[in-house]
Amino acid sequence: MNHKNKLDEIRGAALRLLEKEGPGAVSMRRVAKAAGITPMAIYHYFRTREALLQDITAAEFEKQVAKLQAMPVPADPQHRLRQILESHLEYAIKRPRVYDYVFSNPRPGARRFPKDFQERKSPTFNLLMDAVAAAIELGYFGKGDVFEISLTIAAHMQGLITLYRGGRFKLSDRQFKLLCFKSFSQVFHGLRKQE
């Protein structure tokens, strides 16, 4: 098996462990066993557990961005914002442990507010900022700071997801999504340009 295939096997094994059991389950020994290599051989691919986790986290961000970039961009700014939020929400519901690690848990290499976000180092937040900038340019939102408006939308979404993941809502996934979309609509309405 070539280097790339073995690397993909290691990444896949680590991601499956993360998805099934959370970050504590991702040890070099367990990943190596799941990938069919010796515990020492894994260090030829990743020097540390943290490097492996950073690698699969970066790949998850790339997948989310690629998925959104492949979608046709609606003319209505609210529809584009909803598209972005819906994709994020689906990810949180379908892959909760990976979502928690990628977006919520403290971890090495995580982007930090405000500098990393203002310097456009977050691929997913960049998409949201671009959608907000388009909404301002089209007159959907009033003039304002793109970064601050994007942060407001992202924090609202992340807050609802964190509460849901923490068991604070007694709702089905479907009911929770409907609640989120209603709540997002209220946020968008509050940000709308006043005539």
Side-chain angles (χ1 to χ4, degrees), residues 57-58 61 107 109-113 116-117 120-124:
T57 301
F61 279 114
R107 61 180 172 80
R111 292 166 189 94
R112 302 285 184 247
F113 174 86
D116 290 341
F117 293 91
R120 296 184 62 86
K121 291 182 180 176
S122 172
T124 50

Side-chain angles (χ1 to χ4, degrees), residues 82-182:
R82 183 179 162 128
Q83 206 177 47
I84 292 168
L85 296 172
E86 188 168 3
S87 176
H88 195 82
L89 188 57
E90 282 293 321
Y91 188 86
I93 288 171
K94 287 182 179 173
R95 305 183 67 201
R97 286 194 174 103
V98 178
Y99 176 88
D100 288 347
Y101 184 73
V102 171
F103 289 100
S104 300
N105 292 355
R107 61 180 172 80
R111 292 166 189 94
R112 302 285 184 247
F113 174 86
K115 189 172 186 267
D116 290 341
F117 293 91
Q118 289 173 330
E119 292 179 358
R120 296 184 62 86
K121 291 182 180 176
S122 172
T124 50
F125 193 74
N126 292 345
L127 289 174
L128 180 60
M129 284 200 302
D130 292 344
V132 167
I136 292 170
E137 189 175 318
L138 292 169
Y140 182 81
F141 291 159
K143 295 287 183 202
D145 184 285
V146 172
F147 176 74
E148 289 178 3
I149 293 170
S150 302
L151 183 63
T152 297
I153 293 169
H156 181 78
M157 174 183 56
Q158 194 111 10
L160 288 172
I161 291 170
T162 299
L163 289 169
Y164 187 62
R165 292 281 304 123
R168 302 306 195 274
F169 292 105
K170 190 172 181 175
L171 301 171
S172 68
D173 290 347
R174 182 180 174 279
Q175 290 170 323
F176 175 65
K177 284 194 272 190
L178 291 173
L179 172 71
C180 286
F181 293 136
K182 185 175 180 182

Side-chain angles (χ1 to χ4, degrees), residues 7 10-11 14 26 28 42-43 45-59 101 107-109:
L7 194 56
I10 292 167
R11 288 170 170 151
V26 183
M28 297 298 262
I42 196 171
Y43 291 98
Y45 298 91
F46 295 98
R47 292 175 53 134
T48 64
R49 173 183 178 271
E50 288 70 29
L52 172 58
L53 283 166
Q54 278 187 299
D55 181 84
I56 61 173
T57 301
Y101 184 73
R107 61 180 172 80

